[in-house]
């Protein structure tokens, strides 16, 4: 029998060759051709065992199941409907609800310390009724926001700045939470941040109005209208700080500023904080040196431990006021502790003081001897602010495209801008730290704002300019 040709066709008629018999020379046997027992081309086809379906159709054997031939090229295609995109406001909370809830939570958190302190302080008079403590706590909380409170002894308008700072921090956090709930975190504009701040401020003002209505009882008079106005402005400004930070609008605004103005504002803020820090250190040192007198004042109340803790907490609430007054004392203008009184480095004229341990730190006379060296602390604080400015500019010169072009004029200009900024902040701190306490003799308490602002501007401008110029000169070209 003739073997077919390699392409599978029968051999031609004139092909007389016989098929080779046996193994192919040089290839070995069929079984050992490549080491496997491969079937020959003339062996019968192998039968594969039937595949067992794990889930055969009932009533049909695996070999007798019906199969359906699928023509892949002509199959019908199914077009899925286009998935709708989520609405742009998906995940956003309503601004009015988010702002109101955040403002209410901030007010509740900032009210609790005042309620606790005044509840403990009232134990000195044997008052323990919950209603009286709540009324006094609401009045003190409103007083921290600058709302005057009428009492039987006279108007009370000296705000405890520690409570005010704590409340401002909580309202700023309310602005952050509202911005995140509204969906503008890290991608908002200044206009959106202002919208969030106004919403939180209005909610805070409504809460303040409700607090004023509850606190306005016999013995304590609070104006609901003034409470609404004060807390609305307070809440709007504080919430604006938080909203600007979380939306990134503050960073964008700072980048768009001229470098001299941006550096000057930063230097002024740092200078004001350092000067206030020197005042706080001065106040703490003065109270520590007068610790015996403070202990005598505290022991004169003849009350238990709870009452003394309450009085101590009240003093801590007014500790920032004392720091601002000490700053005014170091800067030169000084402060007043009543009508026709003066506390300066060159003159001390005081009358009757408040029966609080905090008042024991007021100087008894003019500064003399080595104590006069303390008056240089604000100037040193301004020089430190200028030193920090120059260090930052020198770092920018090394690797920033703006810093490489900084000149002496730009450095001195930033230091000169920082002086008025620091003076403005110090004057604002002096204004919010002053007020009246009771009768007509204590109607004028605290420093004069414009005098503190002017003195702070001069001191920080000189100190920052000298510090920046000296650091730049020592750094070399």
């Amino acid at each position: 029998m003739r073997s077919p040709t390699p392409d599978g066709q029968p051999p031609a008629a004139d092909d007389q060759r016989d098929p080779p018999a046996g193994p192919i020379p040089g290839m070995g046997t069929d079984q050992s051709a490549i080491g496997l027992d491969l079937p020959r081309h003339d062996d019968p086809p192998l039968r594969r065992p039937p595949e067992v379906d794990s889930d055969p159709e009932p009533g049909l054997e695996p070999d007798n199941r019906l199969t359906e031939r699928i023509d892949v090229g002509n199959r019908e295609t199914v077009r899925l409907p286009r998935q709708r995109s989520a609405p742009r406001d998906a995940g956003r909370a309503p601004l009015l609800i988010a702002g109101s809830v955040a403002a209410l939570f901030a007010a509740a958190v900032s009210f609790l310390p005042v309620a606790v302190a005044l509840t403990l302080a009232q134990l000195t008079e044997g008052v323990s009724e919950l209603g009286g403590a709540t009324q006094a706590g609401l009045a003190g909380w409103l007083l921290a926001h600058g709302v005057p409170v009428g009492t039987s002894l006279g108007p009370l308008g000296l705000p405890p700045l520690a409570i005010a700072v704590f409340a401002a921090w909580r309202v700023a956090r309310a602005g952050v939470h509202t911005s995140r709930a509204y969906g503008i975190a890290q991608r908002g504009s200044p206009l959106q941040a202002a919208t969030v701040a106004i919403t939180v401020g209005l909610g805070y003002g409504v809460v303040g109005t409700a607090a004023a209505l509850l606190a306005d009882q016999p013995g304590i008079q609070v104006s609901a209208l003034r409470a609404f106005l004060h807390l609305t402005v307070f809440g709007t400004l504080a919430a604006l700080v938080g909203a600007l930070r979380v939306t990134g609008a503050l960073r964008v605004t700072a980048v768009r500023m001229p470098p001299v103005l941006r550096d000057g504002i930063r230097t002024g803020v740092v200078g004001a904080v350092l000067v206030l820090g020197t005042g706080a250190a001065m106040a703490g040192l003065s109270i520590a040196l007068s610790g015996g007198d403070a202990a005598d004042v505290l022991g004169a109340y003849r009350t238990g431990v709870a009452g003394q803790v309450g009085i101590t907490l009240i003093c801590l609430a007014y500790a920032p006021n004392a720091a601002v007054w000490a700053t005014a004392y170091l800067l030169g203008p000084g402060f007043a502790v009543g009508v026709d009184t003066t506390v300066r480095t060159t003159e001390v004229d005081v009358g009757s003081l408040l029966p609080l341990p905090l008042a024991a730190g007021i100087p008894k006379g003019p500064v003399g001897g080595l104590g006069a060296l303390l008056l240089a602390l604000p100037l040193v604080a301004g020089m430190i602010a200028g030193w920090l400015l120059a260090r930052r500019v020198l770092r920018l010169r090394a690797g920033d495209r703006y810093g490489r072009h900084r000149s002496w004029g730009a450095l001195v200009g930033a230091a000169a801008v920082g002086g008025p900024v620091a003076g403005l902040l110090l004057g604002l701190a002096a204004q919010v730290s002053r007020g009246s306490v009771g009768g007509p003799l204590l109607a004028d308490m605290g420093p004069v704002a414009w005098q503190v602002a002017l003195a702070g501007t001069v001191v920080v401008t000189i100190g920052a300019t000298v510090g920046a110029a000296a650091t730049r000169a020592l750094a070399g070209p």
Side-chain angles (χ1 to χ4, degrees):
M1 180 179 181
R2 297 176 180 175
S3 300
T5 58
D7 56 359
Q9 300 297 327
D14 56 351
D15 190 2
Q16 301 298 327
R17 292 179 301 175
D18 293 328
I24 302 174
M27 297 297 293
T29 62
D30 292 340
Q31 290 82 1
S32 62
I34 56 175
L36 298 174
D37 188 9
L38 298 176
R40 293 170 55 88
H41 63 274
D42 54 351
D43 288 340
L46 298 177
R47 296 180 57 87
R48 294 183 179 180
E51 297 180 358
V52 180
D53 194 353
S54 60
D55 189 16
E57 297 183 11
L60 294 177
E61 296 296 332
D63 292 339
N64 298 328
R65 286 185 301 167
L66 299 177
T67 60
E68 180 181 358
R69 184 179 181 86
I70 299 176
D71 189 356
V72 180
N74 296 324
R75 280 194 307 170
E76 296 182 0
T77 58
V78 180
R79 185 173 183 179
L80 297 176
R82 184 177 180 181
Q83 191 173 6
R84 291 180 299 177
S85 59
R88 297 186 63 181
D89 293 339
R92 287 187 178 184
L95 179 58
L96 184 60
I97 296 178
S100 302
V101 172
L104 179 61
F105 181 76
V109 173
S110 60
F111 165 73
L112 289 178
V114 185
V116 172
L118 291 181
T119 300
L120 294 176
Q122 281 188 346
L123 295 177
T124 59
E125 301 176 0
V127 180
S128 59
E129 293 84 358
L130 180 61
T134 303
Q135 181 184 7
L138 290 174
W141 181 72
L142 292 172
L143 180 63
H145 295 82
V147 181
V149 178
T151 63
S152 58
L153 300 177
L156 181 61
L158 185 64
L161 289 186
I163 303 300
V165 172
F166 180 68
W169 172 61
R170 292 312 312 168
V171 178
R173 296 300 303 172
V176 172
H177 298 324
T178 305
S179 300
R180 290 173 177 171
Y182 192 50
I184 61 173
Q186 299 302 328
R187 56 187 182 90
S189 63
L191 181 59
Q192 290 176 319
T195 304
V196 169
I198 292 174
T199 304
V200 175
L202 289 175
Y204 204 67
V206 172
V207 175
T209 303
L213 294 176
L214 292 176
D216 191 13
Q217 301 293 334
I220 296 179
Q221 295 82 34
V222 183
S223 172
L225 178 59
R226 294 197 64 172
F228 175 77
L229 295 177
H230 280 242
L231 270 76
T232 298
V233 175
F234 182 93
T236 301
L237 295 178
L240 182 61
V241 175
L244 287 175
R245 285 182 58 87
V246 75
T247 57
L250 185 61
R251 186 182 302 107
V252 173
T253 304
V255 169
R256 293 177 179 175
M257 285 184 180
V260 174
L261 179 60
R262 182 172 63 249
D263 292 340
I265 294 176
R266 182 183 289 108
T267 303
V269 173
V270 173
V273 172
L274 292 176
V275 172
L276 287 174
T278 61
M282 177 66 183
L285 178 62
S286 179
I287 295 175
L289 294 177
S290 305
D293 296 339
D296 294 340
V297 173
L298 185 61
Y301 281 95
R302 305 293 181 183
T303 183
V305 176
Q308 293 181 355
V309 170
I311 296 174
T312 303
L313 291 177
I314 292 177
C315 292
L316 290 177
Y318 282 100
N321 299 65
V324 176
W325 295 4
T327 301
Y329 178 82
L330 292 177
L331 289 174
F335 58 94
V337 289
V339 179
D340 298 330
T341 60
T342 303
V343 179
R344 297 194 186 98
T345 57
T346 58
E347 178 187 4
V348 175
D349 182 13
V350 298
S352 59
L353 300 176
L354 289 175
L356 289 176
L358 197 63
I362 296 178
K364 304 298 188 299
V367 176
L370 296 178
L373 297 177
L374 297 176
L375 303 180
L377 290 179
L379 184 62
V380 174
M383 294 176 65
I384 294 175
W387 171 68
L388 294 174
L389 168 65
R391 279 177 54 87
R392 182 176 181 276
V393 170
L394 291 175
R395 287 198 304 267
L396 291 177
R397 289 186 63 202
D400 186 76
R401 61 190 182 94
Y402 295 108
R404 287 193 295 267
H405 301 287
R406 300 289 178 88
S407 61
W408 276 90
L411 182 64
V412 175
V417 171
V421 172
L424 179 63
L425 295 177
L426 292 173
L428 180 61
Q431 179 63 36
V432 298
S433 69
R434 57 180 290 113
S436 60
V437 182
L441 295 179
L442 300 177
D444 186 13
M445 301 281 291
V448 180
W450 71 267
Q451 295 178 358
V452 175
L454 180 60
T457 300
V458 173
V459 170
V460 176
T461 301
I462 296 175
T465 304
V466 171
T471 305
R472 178 67 177 83
L474 294 176

